[in-house]
Amino acid sequence: GQNIDQPTEMTATEGAIVQINCTYQTSGFNGLFWYQQHAGEAPTFLSYNVLDGLEEKGRFSSFLSRSKGYSYLLLKELQMKDSASYLCAGSWFSGGYNKLIFGAGTRLAVHP
Amino acid sequence: ETGVTQTPRHLVMGMTNKKSLKCEQHLGHNAMYWYKQSAKKPLELMFVYNFKEQTENNSVPSRFSPECPNSSHLFLHLHTLQPEDSALYLCASSQGKNRALAGGRNEQFFGPGTRLTVL
Protein backbone atom coordinates (compact mmCIF):
# COMPACT_ATOMS: atom_id res chain seq x y z
CA GLY A 1 0.00 0.00 0.00
CA GLN A 2 0.90 3.65 -0.19
CA ASN A 3 2.89 5.23 2.65
CA ILE A 4 2.92 8.89 3.53
CA ASP A 5 5.83 10.07 5.67
CA GLN A 6 6.09 13.38 7.49
CA PRO A 7 7.88 14.52 10.65
CA THR A 8 6.02 13.97 13.91
CA GLU A 9 6.69 17.32 15.56
CA MET A 10 8.21 20.71 14.76
CA THR A 11 8.65 23.91 16.71
CA ALA A 12 9.11 27.43 15.40
CA THR A 13 9.09 31.03 16.57
CA GLU A 14 6.36 33.56 15.95
CA GLY A 15 7.11 35.58 12.81
CA ALA A 16 9.46 32.95 11.38
CA ILE A 17 9.11 30.59 8.39
CA VAL A 18 8.68 26.83 8.70
CA GLN A 19 8.70 24.09 6.06
CA ILE A 20 6.92 20.79 6.67
CA ASN A 21 8.03 17.99 4.34
CA CYS A 22 6.06 15.01 3.10
CA THR A 23 7.13 12.04 0.98
CA TYR A 24 4.97 9.41 -0.72
CA GLN A 25 5.12 6.53 -3.16
CA THR A 26 4.56 7.73 -6.73
CA SER A 27 2.80 4.73 -8.31
CA GLY A 28 -0.75 5.66 -9.39
CA PHE A 29 -0.59 8.99 -7.65
CA ASN A 30 -3.15 11.71 -8.51
CA GLY A 31 -2.47 14.73 -6.33
CA LEU A 32 -1.58 15.87 -2.86
CA PHE A 33 -3.60 17.61 -0.17
CA TRP A 34 -2.57 19.50 2.94
CA TYR A 35 -5.03 19.83 5.80
CA GLN A 36 -4.77 21.78 9.08
CA GLN A 37 -6.24 20.31 12.26
CA HIS A 38 -6.44 22.19 15.54
CA ALA A 39 -6.74 20.07 18.67
CA GLY A 40 -10.26 18.73 19.07
CA GLU A 41 -11.44 20.11 15.73
CA ALA A 42 -12.07 18.86 12.19
CA PRO A 43 -9.28 18.84 9.62
CA THR A 44 -9.73 21.79 7.26
CA PHE A 45 -8.49 22.00 3.68
CA LEU A 46 -5.39 24.11 3.05
CA SER A 47 -4.11 23.26 -0.41
CA TYR A 48 -4.11 20.82 -3.31
CA ASN A 49 -1.26 20.22 -5.77
CA VAL A 50 -1.64 18.12 -8.89
CA LEU A 51 1.11 19.67 -11.06
CA ASP A 52 4.76 20.16 -10.20
CA GLY A 53 5.63 23.49 -8.67
CA LEU A 54 4.66 25.93 -6.00
CA GLU A 55 1.11 27.02 -5.20
CA GLU A 56 0.94 30.18 -3.11
CA LYS A 57 -2.05 31.18 -1.04
CA GLY A 58 -1.36 34.06 1.31
CA ARG A 59 1.02 33.06 4.11
CA PHE A 60 0.80 29.39 3.09
CA SER A 61 2.46 27.79 0.05
CA SER A 62 2.61 24.17 -1.04
CA PHE A 63 5.13 22.55 -3.37
CA LEU A 64 4.98 19.28 -5.28
CA SER A 65 7.52 17.23 -7.20
CA ARG A 66 5.70 14.29 -8.77
CA SER A 67 8.84 12.54 -10.00
CA LYS A 68 10.47 12.66 -6.57
CA GLY A 69 7.34 11.82 -4.56
CA TYR A 70 7.93 14.90 -2.45
CA SER A 71 5.86 17.81 -1.18
CA TYR A 72 6.25 20.54 1.37
CA LEU A 73 4.02 23.06 3.09
CA LEU A 74 5.63 26.44 3.74
CA LEU A 75 4.20 28.70 6.41
CA LYS A 76 5.45 32.30 6.52
CA GLU A 77 5.09 35.02 9.16
CA LEU A 78 4.06 32.43 11.70
CA GLN A 79 1.34 33.32 14.18
CA MET A 80 0.45 31.65 17.46
CA LYS A 81 -2.82 30.46 15.91
CA ASP A 82 -0.80 28.39 13.41
CA SER A 83 -0.04 25.92 16.22
CA ALA A 84 -1.85 22.83 14.96
CA SER A 85 -1.32 19.48 13.27
CA TYR A 86 -0.68 19.56 9.52
CA LEU A 87 -1.82 16.49 7.63
CA CYS A 88 -0.34 15.48 4.29
CA ALA A 89 -2.66 13.27 2.21
CA GLY A 90 -2.01 11.66 -1.14
CA SER A 91 -4.82 10.97 -3.58
CA TRP A 92 -5.01 7.76 -5.57
CA PHE A 93 -7.92 6.91 -7.90
CA SER A 94 -9.44 3.66 -6.66
CA GLY A 95 -12.88 2.09 -6.86
CA GLY A 96 -14.43 5.04 -8.69
CA TYR A 97 -13.33 7.78 -6.34
CA ASN A 98 -10.22 9.62 -5.22
CA LYS A 99 -8.97 7.70 -2.18
CA LEU A 100 -7.00 9.74 0.34
CA ILE A 101 -4.14 8.18 2.28
CA PHE A 102 -3.07 10.35 5.21
CA GLY A 103 0.22 10.74 6.96
CA ALA A 104 0.26 10.72 10.76
CA GLY A 105 0.43 14.51 10.82
CA THR A 106 3.07 17.00 11.91
CA ARG A 107 2.31 18.76 15.17
CA LEU A 108 3.61 22.32 14.90
CA ALA A 109 4.15 24.40 18.05
CA VAL A 110 4.67 28.13 17.53
CA HIS A 111 6.38 29.92 20.42
CA PRO A 112 6.54 33.68 21.15
CA GLU B 1 -18.31 25.38 9.94
CA THR B 2 -17.46 22.97 7.11
CA GLY B 3 -21.02 22.02 6.21
CA VAL B 4 -20.63 18.59 7.81
CA THR B 5 -22.14 17.97 11.25
CA GLN B 6 -21.69 15.03 13.58
CA THR B 7 -23.56 13.94 16.69
CA PRO B 8 -22.86 13.23 19.42
CA ARG B 9 -19.59 15.10 19.91
CA HIS B 10 -18.63 12.92 22.86
CA LEU B 11 -19.71 9.38 23.71
CA VAL B 12 -18.78 7.08 26.56
CA MET B 13 -20.04 3.52 26.32
CA GLY B 14 -19.53 0.14 27.89
CA MET B 15 -18.44 -2.88 25.90
CA THR B 16 -21.95 -4.35 25.90
CA ASN B 17 -23.75 -1.18 24.77
CA LYS B 18 -25.18 -0.40 21.34
CA LYS B 19 -24.93 3.15 20.09
CA SER B 20 -24.96 5.01 16.78
CA LEU B 21 -22.97 7.93 15.42
CA LYS B 22 -24.68 10.30 13.00
CA CYS B 23 -23.25 12.45 10.24
CA GLU B 24 -25.08 14.93 8.03
CA GLN B 25 -23.70 17.01 5.16
CA HIS B 26 -25.31 20.14 3.73
CA LEU B 27 -23.00 20.51 0.73
CA GLY B 28 -24.85 18.55 -1.94
CA HIS B 29 -22.07 15.95 -2.06
CA ASN B 30 -22.50 12.38 -3.22
CA ALA B 31 -19.67 10.59 -1.41
CA MET B 32 -19.38 10.15 2.36
CA TYR B 33 -16.64 8.60 4.47
CA TRP B 34 -15.95 7.33 7.97
CA TYR B 35 -12.44 7.68 9.37
CA LYS B 36 -10.89 6.62 12.69
CA GLN B 37 -8.26 8.90 14.23
CA SER B 38 -6.18 7.50 17.09
CA ALA B 39 -3.48 9.41 18.93
CA LYS B 40 -0.27 9.82 16.90
CA LYS B 41 -1.55 7.57 14.10
CA PRO B 42 -2.68 8.46 10.58
CA LEU B 43 -6.33 8.90 9.80
CA GLU B 44 -7.61 5.42 8.94
CA LEU B 45 -10.30 5.14 6.28
CA MET B 46 -13.07 2.80 7.45
CA PHE B 47 -15.94 3.02 4.97
CA VAL B 48 -16.83 4.88 1.78
CA TYR B 49 -20.26 5.44 0.27
CA ASN B 50 -20.55 6.77 -3.27
CA PHE B 51 -24.11 7.65 -4.37
CA LYS B 52 -25.42 5.65 -1.36
CA GLU B 53 -23.51 2.55 -2.45
CA GLN B 54 -20.80 1.20 -0.18
CA THR B 55 -17.63 1.12 -2.25
CA GLU B 56 -15.06 0.44 0.44
CA ASN B 57 -14.88 -1.52 3.65
CA ASN B 58 -11.31 -1.23 4.80
CA SER B 59 -11.14 -4.52 6.74
CA VAL B 60 -13.20 -3.04 9.54
CA PRO B 61 -14.45 -5.44 12.27
CA SER B 62 -18.14 -6.31 12.08
CA ARG B 63 -18.81 -4.59 15.41
CA PHE B 64 -18.83 -1.40 13.27
CA SER B 65 -21.80 -1.28 10.90
CA PRO B 66 -22.34 1.67 8.53
CA GLU B 67 -25.62 2.82 7.05
CA CYS B 68 -26.22 5.41 4.34
CA PRO B 69 -29.98 5.99 3.81
CA ASN B 70 -29.42 8.92 1.44
CA SER B 71 -26.61 11.09 0.10
CA SER B 72 -26.87 13.54 3.00
CA HIS B 73 -26.82 11.16 5.96
CA LEU B 74 -24.39 8.57 7.20
CA PHE B 75 -24.54 6.47 10.35
CA LEU B 76 -22.06 4.26 12.15
CA HIS B 77 -23.72 1.67 14.36
CA LEU B 78 -21.59 0.38 17.22
CA HIS B 79 -22.01 -2.79 19.28
CA THR B 80 -19.82 -4.86 21.61
CA LEU B 81 -16.87 -2.52 21.14
CA GLN B 82 -13.45 -2.99 22.71
CA PRO B 83 -11.42 -0.43 24.69
CA GLU B 84 -8.96 -0.17 21.76
CA ASP B 85 -11.82 1.22 19.67
CA SER B 86 -11.62 4.43 21.70
CA ALA B 87 -10.70 7.16 19.24
CA LEU B 88 -11.98 10.20 17.36
CA TYR B 89 -14.38 9.15 14.59
CA LEU B 90 -14.51 11.60 11.72
CA CYS B 91 -17.06 11.82 8.95
CA ALA B 92 -16.24 13.49 5.63
CA SER B 93 -17.97 14.18 2.34
CA SER B 94 -16.88 15.02 -1.19
CA GLN B 95 -18.42 15.50 -4.61
CA GLY B 96 -18.00 11.83 -5.52
CA LYS B 97 -17.22 9.73 -8.53
CA ASN B 98 -18.27 12.02 -11.36
CA ARG B 99 -16.12 14.84 -10.08
CA ALA B 100 -13.16 12.52 -9.65
CA LEU B 101 -13.45 11.18 -13.19
CA ALA B 102 -13.48 14.72 -14.53
CA GLY B 103 -10.08 15.26 -12.91
CA GLY B 104 -11.46 17.67 -10.35
CA ARG B 105 -9.90 18.42 -7.01
CA ASN B 106 -12.62 16.50 -5.14
CA GLU B 107 -11.40 17.52 -1.69
CA GLN B 108 -13.03 16.03 1.37
CA PHE B 109 -14.80 18.19 3.95
CA PHE B 110 -14.65 16.89 7.50
CA GLY B 111 -17.07 17.05 10.38
CA PRO B 112 -15.89 17.90 13.92
CA GLY B 113 -15.79 14.25 14.95
CA THR B 114 -17.18 12.14 17.77
CA ARG B 115 -14.77 11.45 20.63
CA LEU B 116 -15.58 7.85 21.63
CA THR B 117 -14.45 6.26 24.87
CA VAL B 118 -15.11 2.55 25.43
CA LEU B 119 -14.88 1.43 29.04
Side-chain angles (χ1 to χ4, degrees), chain B residues 8-109:
Chain B
R9 294 294 308 275
H10 300 273
L11 178 62
V12 179
M13 59 187 288
M15 289 191 285
T16 58
N17 292 158
K18 288 185 180 181
K19 296 286 184 184
S20 295
L21 310 185
K22 179 183 176 183
C23 175
E24 184 173 358
Q25 58 95 1
H26 312 275
L27 300 168
H29 289 163
N30 292 305
M32 296 188 78
Y33 312 78
W34 278 117
Y35 287 89
K36 176 183 179 182
Q37 188 175 35
S38 304
K40 299 185 179 181
K41 293 175 71 175
L43 276 167
E44 299 172 51
L45 180 65
M46 300 175 72
F47 301 104
V48 181
Y49 279 82
N50 210 357
F51 292 87
K52 298 190 294 178
E53 177 186 331
Q54 184 175 320
T55 58
E56 182 119 3
N57 176 339
N58 210 20
S59 302
V60 180
S62 59
R63 57 186 185 269
F64 295 91
S65 174
E67 179 190 0
C68 187
N70 55 60
S71 296
S72 299
H73 294 87
L74 184 65
F75 295 89
L76 188 63
H77 304 298
L78 316 171
H79 65 99
T80 59
L81 294 192
Q82 305 297 311
E84 60 264 28
D85 297 323
S86 298
L88 181 67
Y89 288 85
L90 290 162
C91 172
S93 71
S94 72
Q95 291 193 356
K97 183 167 64 176
N98 293 339
R99 172 81 171 174
L101 289 174
R105 191 169 71 188
N106 203 27
E107 76 221 52
Q108 293 180 21
F109 293 78

Side-chain angles (χ1 to χ4, degrees), chain A residues 83-102:
Chain A
S83 294
S85 285
Y86 291 86
L87 311 179
C88 174
S91 172
W92 282 267
F93 193 69
S94 170
Y97 71 98
N98 281 334
K99 181 175 181 177
L100 293 188
I101 305 294
F102 283 84

Side-chain angles (χ1 to χ4, degrees), chain A residues 34-76:
Chain A
W34 284 96
Y35 282 82
Q36 180 191 59
Q37 186 178 24
H38 285 100
E41 297 182 14
T44 55
F45 169 81
L46 285 179
S47 68
Y48 176 64
N49 293 70
V50 64
L51 300 176
D52 284 355
L54 189 67
E55 295 272 347
E56 296 186 76
K57 196 187 294 185
R59 294 189 299 113
F60 292 4
S61 303
S62 57
F63 172 85
L64 180 69
S65 169
R66 297 180 68 94
S67 60
K68 294 182 180 177
Y70 169 68
S71 172
Y72 66 74
L73 181 69
L74 192 71
L75 294 78
K76 303 176 186 175

